[in-house]
Amino acid sequence: MSKKALITGITGQDGSYLAELLLSKGYKVVGMVRRSSTVNYERIGHLMDDIEFVPGDLLDQMSLVEALESHKPEEVYNLAAQSFVQTSFTQPVLTGETTALGVTRLLDAIRVVDPSIRFYQASSSEMFGKVHEVPQTESTPFHPRSPYGVAKVYGHWITVNYRESYDLHASSGILFNHESPRRGLEFVTRKITHGVAEIALGHASSLSLGNLDAKRDWGFAGDYVEAMWLMLQQENPGDFVICTGETHSVKEFLELAFNHVNLSYEDHVTVDEKFFRPAEVDLLVGDASLAKKELGWAPKTSFADLVTGMVDSDLQLLKDNPKQR
């Protein structure tokens, strides 16, 4: 009999790749979506006939209880959050309600409805923030530098707490930055690749960015969702850093993207301080040794392939849909 999984945040980048993966493994996939006139199904448009949808909201405990009772999933993947760091500075309370307390509501719903459900929490490298050691591992202390990072720390520790207090199979993936052609345009990587495509096609001449010296550990989202699934297949739950172990600056990302279309970023990029964070995270790079050892997971996509693949995808997107400008 096929397993059933409930995914919150199914319309996001990770949700779409995870839904594809689970469907390929024969799962029945249930996607939780808010009752909203603005839900964007673009990333899962090709999967709409294969996914069952259920209304629910991390701000509303009873909607979570009802979703679990009506669909009876064996696995729940919590990918829903206010996920943009910059926005968390202007909407800190909303970020806390969804990204922090929302995790508690979902865990408590599982505890009440069916404690045998296996739970995945999307933790984040932003929890490390002002890093205490390089590279970062599962035991590195957290020092978040944004309301988003703070909320993710809460979500992470409440997951640990429910695992230890109620013996839930609850795991957290501490995912470092992971990108794809499905990344939102507000994120710097996609802002770059979409901007490069617009400049290459003559639709624009410049691109305005923030801190070009910030360094990140960037991987491919399609690789990372496999790690989420592997965590819930283990006999015992745990927390795992998921990353490439390589660090690259925004400047390096720019160089690769512009070089791919035979342009130089120096001719087109301007730095605007309005895109700087009030408290910057300068260097994030992880060590995924535990995931390799216990899950058998390793990233497959190189940094260069990730960047050029995103540029190619945005070039195609703009050629196919001139209105995307």
Side-chain angles (χ1 to χ4, degrees):
M1 203 169 102
S2 60
K3 279 187 187 175
K4 186 182 278 190
L6 173 73
I7 303 173
T8 74
I10 194 165
T11 58
Q13 169 188 258
D14 292 9
S16 68
Y17 281 110
L18 180 62
E20 282 178 350
L21 177 73
L22 296 179
L23 288 167
S24 75
K25 293 181 179 297
Y27 276 67
K28 289 180 179 169
V29 175
V30 180
M32 194 180 87
V33 291
R34 283 177 295 173
R35 285 197 188 279
S36 161
S37 58
T38 58
V39 175
N40 181 354
Y41 292 96
E42 186 180 344
R43 293 183 184 94
I44 52 170
H46 59 300
L47 305 174
M48 293 294 282
D49 294 340
D50 303 315
I51 296 171
E52 203 172 342
F53 292 95
V54 60
D57 194 318
L58 291 180
L59 302 182
D60 179 10
Q61 179 109 18
M62 277 313 296
S63 72
L64 305 178
V65 169
E66 286 168 14
L68 295 175
E69 284 181 337
S70 60
H71 289 277
K72 298 181 170 54
E74 284 105 320
E75 297 174 2
V76 170
Y77 296 85
N78 182 37
L79 309 185
Q82 190 300 100
S83 63
F84 190 43
V85 173
Q86 198 76 26
T87 299
S88 78
F89 284 102
T90 54
Q91 298 185 331
V93 176
L94 176 67
T95 300
E97 283 286 359
T98 53
T99 308
L101 289 177
V103 186
T104 316
R105 295 186 189 100
L106 188 49
L107 281 165
D108 215 47
I110 289 171
R111 178 185 69 81
V112 169
V113 174
D114 180 3
S116 73
I117 291 171
R118 296 190 170 199
F119 175 78
Y120 172 82
Q121 166 60 11
S123 288
S124 166
S125 60
E126 288 285 335
M127 301 189 306
F128 296 123
K130 189 173 183 176
V131 299
H132 289 230
E133 61 184 7
V134 177
Q136 292 90 54
T137 70
E138 291 78 9
S139 58
T140 301
F142 299 137
H143 188 150
R145 299 271 280 171
S146 65
Y148 170 77
V150 172
K152 279 293 186 183
V153 170
Y154 177 95
H156 180 85
W157 281 117
I158 200 70
T159 301
V160 172
N161 183 258
Y162 269 68
R163 179 168 76 217
E164 294 176 353
S165 302
Y166 305 111
D167 202 27
L168 296 187
H169 194 296
S171 295
S172 280
I174 305 172
L175 270 58
F176 279 65
N177 294 60
H178 46 291
E179 317 300 319
S180 76
R182 299 178 194 173
R183 195 53 142 154
L185 285 166
E186 69 272 24
F187 290 87
V188 67
T189 50
R190 183 75 196 292
K191 187 177 176 182
I192 290 170
T193 61
H194 193 266
V196 166
E198 287 200 301
I199 291 166
L201 294 172
H203 300 163
S205 58
S206 65
L207 177 61
S208 191
L209 297 169
N211 183 7
L212 304 189
D213 296 319
K215 294 184 174 72
R216 295 290 184 272
D217 182 328
W218 276 302
F220 173 51
D223 293 344
Y224 285 31
V225 297
E226 185 186 12
M228 301 177 186
W229 174 76
L230 284 167
M231 285 178 217
L232 298 202
Q233 312 317 307
Q234 304 306 304
E235 187 176 344
N236 298 310
D239 306 319
F240 297 90
V241 164
I242 303 299
C243 61
T244 68
E246 295 179 9
T247 184
H248 298 278
S249 65
V250 174
K251 200 174 285 181
E252 284 178 79
F253 198 107
L254 278 170
E255 285 171 347
L256 268 173
F258 274 95
N259 287 349
H260 189 56
V261 293
N262 299 313
L263 294 171
S264 171
Y265 84 88
E266 287 102 331
D267 297 335
H268 301 281
V269 173
T270 57
V271 173
D272 188 332
E273 300 228 335
K274 78 176 180 188
F275 295 118
F276 279 61
R277 298 179 183 180
E280 180 57 271
V281 174
D282 296 314
L283 174 61
L284 288 174
V285 57
D287 177 355
S289 299
L290 188 68
K292 187 173 184 180
K293 180 183 161 202
E294 295 198 10
L295 306 177
W297 180 86
K300 301 182 180 81
T301 309
S302 72
F303 178 65
D305 286 346
L306 172 69
V307 176
T308 56
M310 288 176 67
V311 172
D312 287 339
S313 174
D314 275 324
L315 284 167
Q316 197 59 52
L317 178 75
L318 288 167
K319 286 173 186 169
D320 293 344
N321 306 284
K323 288 180 181 166
Q324 285 284 339
R325 290 165 57 193

